[in-house]
Amino acid sequence: MDYEIAGIVVALLLWAAWAVSTERRHRQLEELGRLPPGPRPWPVVGNMFQLAGSTSAPHRSFAELAGKHGAVMTLRLGSMTTVVVSSDEAARAMFKQHDAVLAGRKIYESMKGDVANEGSLITAQYGPQWRTLRRLCTAEFFAAAPLDAMRGVRARCIRQMLQCVRDSAGAEADVGRFFFVMAFNLIGNLMFSKDVLNSGSERGAKFFYHTGKTMEFAAKPNMADYFPVLRWADPQRIRRRTQFHVKRAFDVAGEFLRERMSEREELDEEEKKKDYLDVLLEYRGDGVEGPAVFSSTIINVIVFEMFTAGTDTTTSTLEWAMAELLHNPNALQKVQTELRTVIGTGEEVQEEKLEELPYLKAVIKETLRLHPPLPFLVPHKAMESCKLLGFHIPKETQILVNAWAIGRDPKKWKDPHEFKPERFMDPNTAPDYKGHHYEFIPFGSGRRMCPALPLAARVLPLALGSVLHSFDWVLGGGVKAAEMDMSERMGITLRKAVPLRAIPIPYSK
Ligand code: HEM
């Protein structure tokens, strides 16, 4: 025991000495004008104290600091050097000039497990494994042809959501919950043709529980990320807990996989379903690089990542869109008038009609500008040293792109904090979110940009348009539009701190 304590003390002293010398080296680099400027760090803890209390809104604290120190700013989070990019010019320089070198991923402790990084797309470093999975996703999951082929699946999931809303008609309900169940079942159907949440199956409930817990623990700030000496101890038990739930979720995904494999043995070629799981099972290499077949571990990881990447982002955006519309009754009236003029009463909003609903699409864009679900994108990492706008970015630096601050930059946006979908109505001047207009990058830009953008661009307006076309909505608890609490809570995505509660009232002319 005494030896153990002595060991910890020695480790702490060695680490403190290392941290102080690294700190000194960083300060020298900064004084030489090489590292991007930033608030003065303290020895060992860096800028942690300046950021204390900002866990619910780090994007806001970082934006405030960037106002003082610049659009490319260094922060020291314990021993983790972080560069925060906070303007469209800096984002342009990053994605146009240094996209490949800054396309690494910062891997947090919670993600470090036995299996999670094998087969990962989100957390893979930029390299052959990532390229193989990315090509597959882009071509087989999110290209126009497979998306068109799965139009019926999306329509069915939206219909089920509308039925859930109808069942709650006249009563106050958690609006985000309708969207979450829809998004979860949609990914379940795209992946393995199952309503994971509606089936009442124990397996579905287990998968849902462990996926949710994984995201909950992975979103917690973890001291072990900032102080490497604590890694082995995992003092908040975040890595152990996250990995526990990851493994349980993989076990369930494995059951779905085994079931499908035995089903497939009994079927003729034409009878086989064509969902994403089949695509993964039928994969025989792409002739360029990577494996010739996917192991069951790789398949489990892909299944798991689609759920984690796709459900919270979709839910957050749709809940914020409804909240902003209820907070801005004129915009609500405008979008409902558009919907009810273009789509007849009693008819469904169909994907084919989205082109005729420009205001609805503008509402989605304005929501993503004000409330990007991933305000820092997914953390990038410098794989090699490089120079960004003349500043030295050391290898291994974490790069956070503050898409939230960029979307509210007063130099680029008039009335930046106001919800005005009209700003996206002129197709000649309005930016789109495809990653080339750096003032508006809710899906990121460059190589690591969200591969599912084409799916999200269909599902978001379809889901929002459907609930607004079929129902009128009244705020719960007698809250008035102007009094709504619009504060944010940072988790795995940026959610509304107080869940939106509203009463759906079926619309009939
Ligand atoms: C509102 C909807 C969504 C938004 C705003 C969004 C946004 C993003 C962003 C900002 C990134 C990181 C970009 C970067 O690191 O530079 C990302 C990555 C990713 N997203 Fe999305 N996303 C959405 C929906 C989805 C959906 C529905 C799926 C899957 C079904 C998905 C799958 C992924 C994957 C797999 C990655 C990792 C890509 C990589 O590392 O190469 N996303 N997304």
Side-chain angles (χ1 to χ4, degrees):
M1 185 68 181
D2 287 350
Y3 284 121
E4 266 177 33
I5 293 173
I8 292 174
V9 171
V10 170
L12 280 171
L13 286 173
L14 284 173
W15 176 70
W18 170 80
V20 170
S21 75
T22 310
E23 162 50 35
R24 219 172 271 151
R25 194 163 44 82
H26 273 276
R27 209 175 292 169
Q28 281 162 357
L29 281 174
E30 202 175 321
E31 274 153 19
L32 287 170
R34 292 184 60 204
L35 277 184
R40 202 166 187 79
W42 291 22
V44 183
V45 292
N47 301 114
M48 300 282 267
F49 288 136
Q50 284 117 309
L51 300 168
S54 71
T55 46
S56 63
H59 51 292
R60 287 180 186 269
S61 324
F62 287 18
E64 251 171 57
L65 285 171
K68 289 186 208 142
H69 300 281
V72 184
M73 167 179 75
T74 307
L75 290 178
R76 298 288 313 285
L77 307 174
S79 66
M80 190 196 286
T81 303
T82 297
V83 163
V84 187
V85 166
S86 310
S87 75
D88 65 322
E89 289 92 347
R92 176 181 291 111
M94 168 173 171
F95 291 116
K96 283 201 99 153
Q97 293 160 20
H98 306 288
D99 192 32
V101 83
L102 299 179
R105 281 280 186 239
K106 192 76 196 170
I107 309 295
Y108 291 138
E109 282 300 298
S110 60
M111 302 169 194
K112 290 182 185 162
D114 307 335
V115 285
N117 293 334
E118 185 193 338
S120 167
L121 176 59
I122 304 176
T123 62
Q125 295 306 339
Y126 176 61
Q129 173 196 307
W130 172 83
R131 276 195 298 270
T132 305
L133 291 177
R134 178 87 194 191
R135 265 196 303 273
L136 173 92
C137 264
T138 313
E140 303 286 345
F141 294 177
F142 305 123
L147 282 181
D148 284 347
M150 290 203 156
R151 196 168 270 176
V153 172
R154 290 189 291 280
R156 196 166 60 79
C157 291
I158 298 287
R159 233 171 273 140
Q160 282 174 351
M161 174 183 71
L162 290 177
Q163 187 54 51
C164 289
V165 181
R166 216 165 283 127
D167 293 343
S168 306
E172 193 179 304
D174 177 347
V175 177
R177 182 80 198 160
F178 295 127
F179 296 131
F180 186 80
V181 173
M182 182 278 295
F184 210 87
N185 277 333
L186 175 63
I187 309 283
N189 275 289
L190 295 176
M191 285 310 311
F192 32 64
S193 309
K194 281 206 176 357
D195 290 336
V196 182
L197 283 184
N198 293 359
S199 54
S201 83
E202 206 181 303
R203 194 193 285 169
K206 247 165 78 181
F207 186 69
F208 171 70
Y209 172 76
H210 292 298
T211 316
K213 282 284 171 193
T214 303
M215 294 201 270
E216 183 189 320
F217 287 119
K220 287 188 190 297
N222 187 355
M223 283 301 127
D225 285 321
Y226 310 118
F227 303 103
V229 72
L230 298 177
R231 276 180 196 158
W232 63 275
D234 188 20
Q236 295 157 273
R237 297 178 56 228
I238 290 178
R239 189 184 60 232
R240 269 170 283 172
R241 285 167 164 170
T242 314
Q243 290 307 315
F244 171 83
H245 291 291
V246 167
K247 283 196 184 119
R248 297 298 165 285
F250 279 16
D251 289 345
V252 185
E255 287 174 30
F256 283 122
L257 177 61
R258 279 191 296 280
E259 188 178 274
R260 172 64 57 88
M261 285 165 87
S262 67
E263 273 170 24
R264 282 170 62 89
E265 277 169 20
E266 325 233 306
L267 296 174
D268 295 334
E269 211 39 55
E270 317 77 77
E271 288 175 312
K272 287 180 183 164
K273 289 187 195 122
K274 271 284 171 244
D275 51 24
Y276 291 178
L277 190 52
D278 284 303
V279 171
L280 295 170
L281 286 168
E282 285 171 15
Y283 181 80
R284 291 294 172 269
D286 63 8
V288 185
E289 57 191 347
V293 285
F294 289 136
S295 67
S296 53
T297 306
I298 293 187
I299 295 182
N300 285 347
V301 176
I302 297 175
V303 168
F304 182 70
E305 287 196 340
M306 290 299 148
F307 277 94
T308 48
T311 45
D312 245 35
T313 44
T314 304
T315 309
S316 155
T317 309
L318 290 169
E319 186 187 28
W320 276 116
M322 285 292 284
E324 285 291 359
L325 289 169
L326 285 162
H327 193 46
N328 294 277
N330 286 341
L332 177 60
Q333 198 195 354
K334 225 166 150 178
V335 71
Q336 283 188 314
T337 305
E338 180 185 80
L339 277 158
R340 288 166 187 174
T341 310
V342 174
I343 318 276
T345 313
E347 283 177 36
E348 285 179 359
V349 181
Q350 287 174 349
E351 275 182 29
E352 295 85 335
K353 288 274 181 188
L354 291 178
E355 280 315 305
E356 293 170 49
L357 299 164
Y359 196 74
L360 173 67
K361 294 208 299 188
V363 166
I364 294 292
K365 287 185 180 160
E366 181 66 341
T367 305
L368 286 166
R369 180 186 73 81
L370 283 174
H371 309 285
L374 300 170
F376 294 121
L377 310 182
V378 176
H380 286 229
K381 183 181 81 171
M383 296 194 302
E384 296 297 335
S385 301
C386 69
K387 266 198 177 290
L388 179 62
L389 291 178
F391 295 115
H392 174 65
I393 310 290
K395 185 177 173 181
E396 293 293 318
T397 300
Q398 164 172 254
I399 317 285
L400 299 179
V401 180
N402 195 341
W404 179 90
I406 294 173
R408 292 179 182 232
D409 184 349
K411 290 193 206 103
K412 293 284 155 184
W413 301 94
K414 192 164 175 276
D415 303 324
H417 303 292
E418 284 176 33
F419 183 77
K420 289 186 174 173
E422 289 71 16
R423 66 176 99 234
F424 286 103
M425 287 299 279
D426 183 347
N428 298 318
T429 56
D432 68 39
Y433 43 42
K434 293 183 187 154
H436 304 293
H437 297 116
Y438 298 94
E439 68 273 34
F440 182 46
I441 47 170
F443 293 95
S445 176
R447 288 170 170 74
R448 296 300 303 229
M449 185 176 178
C450 179
L453 189 158
L455 171 65
R458 296 181 188 213
V459 171
L460 295 172
L462 187 66
L464 183 69
S466 299
V467 297
L468 292 171
H469 174 253
S470 300
F471 299 93
D472 284 322
W473 293 83
V474 178
L475 281 168
V479 175
K480 303 223 166 24
E483 293 164 1
M484 281 172 73
D485 182 338
M486 300 293 275
S487 51
E488 304 155 325
R489 168 177 61 84
M490 187 69 186
I492 207 100
T493 60
L494 189 61
R495 295 293 300 270
K496 216 175 151 290
V498 182
L500 176 65
R501 297 193 67 82
I503 305 164
I505 299 165
Y507 172 73
S508 58
K509 211 166 23 172

